[in-house]
Structures are given as C-alpha cells and as structure tokens.
C-alpha cells in the first residue's frame, strides 16, 4: 500500500482488497490440487511439499481474514487495544507466511523434477536443459525472497521526493507499522478525552442555564 498516492484509509482498503482476492485464489488453488489428485488417484498430503503448502495456505487464509477485520476499522476506536496487541503477531505471521510460501515453492519444484526423473521424462544430469530450468527457477524464487526482505527492512514506507523525506519516512516498513499503531492509539485516546471534556462542559453549561 505504500506505493499508492492516496489517503491512509484508501491505501489500507486497497491493501486488504488485494489480500482478499489472494485468499480467493488460494482457496481455488487448493480445490484444484485436491481435485487433480482425486481424478488421477494420487494420494493427498503425503510429501513435505504438500505439508508445507497446506499449513501455509490455511495459515494465510486465517491471517488475512483476521488482519482485515482488525485493521480495516471493523473494530474501530474501541479495538485499538486489540490492534496494538495483534500488530506484533501480524508482523511475525507475515514473515512466517513469506518463508512458508518460499519453501512450498522450492520443494514443489524439486518434487516435480524428481517425479520426472523417476519416470524417465527428465534428464537431471550432465547440465541438461531441464536441470538448468529447474535450478534457475529455484534461484529466481530465492532472489525474490531476499529482495522482499530487503524492502521490508530498508525501504521507506512513504515514497516521496528525496528532498521531502523526513526522519519518520526513513523508517523501515515494519518499524513504521508499529509507530503508526502507537500514534493511532494516542490520537484516539486524545480524541476520547476531548469528547469527555466537551460532555462535561455541556453538562456544566446546562446546569448553569437551569439555575
């Protein structure tokens, strides 16, 4: 959401919308995998790839739906305590899912290659074209993972002109999320105190008028 030049609420809505779309694709992907296995009488959930994949997929669905509920104002001001409590879990869960997806992809590529080696459809030796494709795909996924980690820990959340970047803008995304949550809670508390003060002022004014 950091690359969209819009208000915070709009950014968060678009961010969560993409996650909900991804949840739909994950559910459809799981259905397609199980259907394919059933159609060709292939056992389900027996390999390391399938275990990592199903754990990551189910965890992502739960993580995405719960995160959307907490951060998309389904729990408004009264839920700020929940947001502060959940934010570290949200960050750690996101990193777990990132690594889970990485290992699921890598083990899936290797598993498919080994299946083809066992059936004689793939020559995974003597620098064959197939072995190059498999190796390059696995390395590309690894590079993508390292790049995402770099972005999460180094790139500023708000993309503005270099001359306008403030110290706050230079915080990594993960640190920025924590700071945003703390500022949001402080602002909500101040607003609540202001409402209480206004109510007391109105009550006092009403009493004076009656007297």
């Amino acid at each position: 959401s950091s690359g969209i030049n819009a208000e915070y609420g709009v950014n968060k809505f678009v961010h969560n919308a993409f996650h909900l779309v991804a949840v739909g694709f994950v559910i459809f992907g799981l259905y397609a995998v199980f259907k394919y296995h059933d159609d060709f009488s292939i056992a389900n959930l027996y390999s390391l790839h399938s275990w990592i994949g199903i754990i990551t997929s189910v965890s992502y669905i739960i993580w995405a739906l719960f995160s959307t509920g907490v951060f998309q104002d389904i729990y408004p001001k009264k839920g700020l305590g929940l947001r502060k409590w959940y934010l570290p879990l949200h960050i750690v869960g996101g990193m777990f899912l990132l690594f889970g997806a990485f290992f699921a992809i890598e083990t899936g590529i290797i598993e498919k290659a080994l299946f083809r080696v066992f059936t004689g459809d793939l020559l995974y030796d003597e620098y064959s074209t197939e072995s190059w494709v498999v190796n390059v795909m696995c390395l590309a996924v690894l590079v993508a993972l390292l790049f995402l980690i770099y972005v999460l820990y180094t790139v500023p959340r708000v993309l503005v002109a270099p001359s306008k970047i403030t110290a706050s803008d230079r915080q990594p995304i993960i640190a920025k999320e924590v700071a945003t949550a703390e500022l949001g809670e402080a602002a909500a508390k101040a607003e609540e105190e202001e409402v209480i003060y206004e109510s007391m002022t109105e009550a006092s004014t009403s009493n004076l008028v009656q007297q």
Side-chain angles (χ1 to χ4, degrees):
S1 61
S2 59
I4 300 176
N5 186 19
E7 295 181 356
Y8 175 81
V10 176
N11 286 344
K12 221 53 177 170
F13 175 80
V14 174
H15 178 78
N16 289 329
F18 276 118
H19 275 299
L20 293 179
V21 171
V23 167
F25 280 116
V26 170
I27 294 174
F28 177 77
L30 292 176
Y31 165 78
V33 169
F34 280 99
K35 187 177 187 305
Y36 176 82
H37 281 211
D38 293 341
D39 290 345
F40 290 90
S41 301
I42 302 175
N44 292 310
L45 302 176
Y46 65 92
S47 65
L48 177 63
H49 164 67
S50 61
W51 285 22
I52 296 176
I54 196 68
I55 291 174
T56 303
S57 298
V58 174
S59 299
Y60 173 71
I61 293 173
I62 297 173
W63 176 87
L65 295 178
F66 189 74
S67 299
T68 300
V70 171
F71 290 111
Q72 190 56 48
D73 293 331
I74 294 178
Y75 300 96
K77 296 176 184 178
K78 62 181 180 181
L80 285 174
L82 175 62
R83 294 186 186 189
K84 184 177 181 180
W85 169 83
Y86 176 64
L87 184 60
L89 298 179
H90 176 72
I91 296 172
V92 173
M95 295 300 295
F96 163 78
L97 292 170
L98 180 62
F99 282 99
F102 166 76
F103 286 115
I105 294 172
E106 297 283 42
T107 54
I109 295 173
I110 297 300
E111 179 183 291
K112 185 63 176 179
L114 292 177
F115 282 166
R116 297 194 62 192
V117 169
F118 293 151
T119 58
D121 296 331
L122 174 63
L123 297 176
Y124 195 66
D125 58 4
E126 298 180 357
Y127 300 101
S128 64
T129 302
E130 292 86 348
S131 64
W132 277 93
V133 171
V134 171
N135 294 343
V136 169
M137 288 176 63
C138 290
L139 286 177
V141 174
L142 175 60
V143 170
L145 173 68
L146 296 177
F147 175 75
L148 286 174
I149 294 174
Y150 169 80
V151 170
L152 287 173
Y153 281 97
T154 62
V155 175
R157 177 180 175 83
V158 182
L159 302 180
V160 297
S163 60
K164 297 181 180 180
I165 293 180
T166 64
S168 176
D169 292 327
R170 293 184 184 277
Q171 296 183 35
I173 290 177
I174 290 179
K176 187 74 173 182
E177 290 287 355
V178 176
T180 301
E182 293 176 349
L183 288 174
E185 183 177 5
K189 184 176 180 181
E191 184 176 349
E192 183 178 356
E193 292 176 351
E194 183 178 353
V195 170
I196 295 175
Y197 175 77
E198 291 178 353
S199 300
M200 295 175 61
T201 302
E202 291 178 358
S204 300
T205 303
S206 177
N207 291 335
L208 290 174
V209 172
Q210 291 177 359
Q211 292 175 0

